[in-house]
Amino acid sequence: MPAAADESPLGPRDWAIVFVVCATAIFTQTIDSDTITYRTTPPSQPLVKIERDYFDNDTFATLKRCATQNALLGSNPLEEAFSATRGLIVRYTRDGLADLARDEHLRCFEAFARTVMRPTANAFVLNVVEAKPSETEPIRYHIDQSFPVKFALGHHVAETVSVLYVSVPDDMRGGELEVRKVPDVYLDAHGLKARAAVARDGGQVEAADVRPVENALVTFRGDAHHRVRPFSTNEPGARRVSLVLEQYRLEPWFTALRVKRFSLQPAKAAGS
């Protein structure tokens, strides 16, 4: 029989679910998630570590071809700080590395991904960053926090970032990687805002400047602000190309339930 006109179609359990959903929505609207960051970088980790001639010649040559001639390269799909570069980006968990190894355009990155992968990391963002000579910085100040977690309030910051330089013009002037670690209380402000706040308060900034060299692996703290300085070269068509692995340590149940095992983010369309 149809329910009486004055009889509610929802039972107590249904109303309880509606209440929880509405309360959660109201609660999340009152929180500025952009000011919440989750960090796992150990205090003892050095700001920067540099290892030259990291791969043997054959492996490095393969990685260089893979990064500079890849069919997936396009306008960089990362945030605005990378708008002056080209590249590609792949996100995966430790289990998802097997999917990368099966992809015809990405399997050539497997040697890099497996070799530099840290035992504590369980989520990764692999990206190629190609920058051309410019009088302005090709990559502006930022902290790597580009691995999304569903329903997370805030951003997860990389624990460690590994950078392999695969193409560097011989006569490049400038183009250094500038790494700055501000005190933890300032880390929620990005780039120049954070540094300005530290300077205003008389705080200390840990600093390192790295000059790119082909086949050098640079490892730096994931909670450090960094940018690439402007550079010039006389080599026609020369580019500064780096292969980057952002390494995250998430709660294990996040990687099981709240993140994708593997995803390839497409390049931005021209003009976007």
Side-chain angles (χ1 to χ4, degrees):
M1 294 179 61
D6 59 348
E7 200 175 300
S8 172
L10 300 179
R13 181 174 178 276
D14 300 313
W15 280 114
I17 294 173
V18 170
F19 174 79
V20 170
V21 170
C22 291
T24 302
I26 294 171
F27 173 72
T28 56
Q29 288 298 314
T30 64
I31 296 177
D32 183 2
S33 61
D34 285 338
T35 65
I36 302 174
T37 55
Y38 305 96
R39 311 181 196 94
T40 60
T41 307
S44 60
Q45 183 174 323
L47 179 62
V48 171
K49 178 182 179 182
I50 303 173
E51 300 171 85
R52 298 183 183 274
D53 299 320
Y54 192 77
F55 287 101
D56 64 73
N57 291 340
D58 290 342
T59 302
F60 178 71
T62 298
L63 291 170
K64 183 172 183 174
R65 284 194 302 272
C66 187
T68 59
Q69 302 175 26
N70 202 291
L72 299 177
L73 287 173
S75 297
N76 202 313
L78 282 170
E79 61 188 53
E80 188 178 351
F82 291 78
S83 60
T85 67
R86 297 176 72 247
L88 63 85
I89 180 168
V90 187
R91 297 180 175 91
Y92 57 92
T93 63
R94 187 172 283 267
D95 289 340
L97 179 56
D99 299 327
L100 179 143
R102 284 192 290 266
D103 187 282
E104 63 175 321
H105 298 301
L106 301 174
R107 63 170 63 105
C108 49
F109 292 126
E110 184 183 7
F112 169 72
R114 289 195 182 278
T115 304
V116 306
M117 181 170 59
R118 294 171 67 93
T120 55
N122 57 8
F124 308 88
V125 178
L126 185 150
N127 57 85
V128 175
V129 182
E130 176 192 286
K132 62 183 180 181
S134 172
E135 294 181 356
T136 59
E137 54 191 0
I139 301 175
R140 299 195 290 277
Y141 265 116
H142 66 287
I143 284 181
D144 290 330
Q145 50 183 32
S146 53
F147 197 98
V149 177
K150 292 179 181 177
F151 313 120
L153 293 177
H155 305 280
H156 290 79
V157 176
E159 180 169 281
T160 297
V161 182
S162 305
V163 181
L164 179 72
Y165 293 106
V166 297
S167 183
V168 180
D170 291 335
D171 66 340
M172 185 175 73
R173 297 173 293 279
E176 296 87 356
L177 171 66
E178 187 176 291
V179 185
R180 300 292 185 265
K181 170 64 170 67
V182 300
D184 286 352
V185 294
Y186 299 96
L187 283 177
D188 291 334
H190 276 207
L192 298 179
K193 289 183 179 179
R195 292 183 64 189
V198 174
R200 178 196 65 213
D201 297 342
Q204 297 296 313
V205 176
E206 191 177 358
D209 298 328
V210 179
R211 180 164 183 80
V213 175
E214 288 193 5
N215 202 15
L217 182 75
V218 176
T219 304
F220 62 89
R221 295 180 60 96
D223 58 0
H225 293 95
H226 52 285
R227 70 161 183 157
V228 172
R229 291 174 178 167
F231 70 94
S232 61
T233 174
N234 293 327
E235 295 182 27
R239 297 288 186 268
R240 178 192 186 280
V241 185
S242 53
L243 179 55
V244 182
L245 189 68
E246 302 171 17
Q247 307 198 46
Y248 295 79
R249 177 154 55 99
L250 305 179
E251 291 293 334
W253 71 278
F254 282 8
T255 60
L257 301 174
R258 296 174 60 182
V259 302
K260 290 184 178 180
R261 169 187 165 114
F262 176 87
S263 66
L264 171 64
Q265 185 171 343
K268 291 180 180 178
S272 63

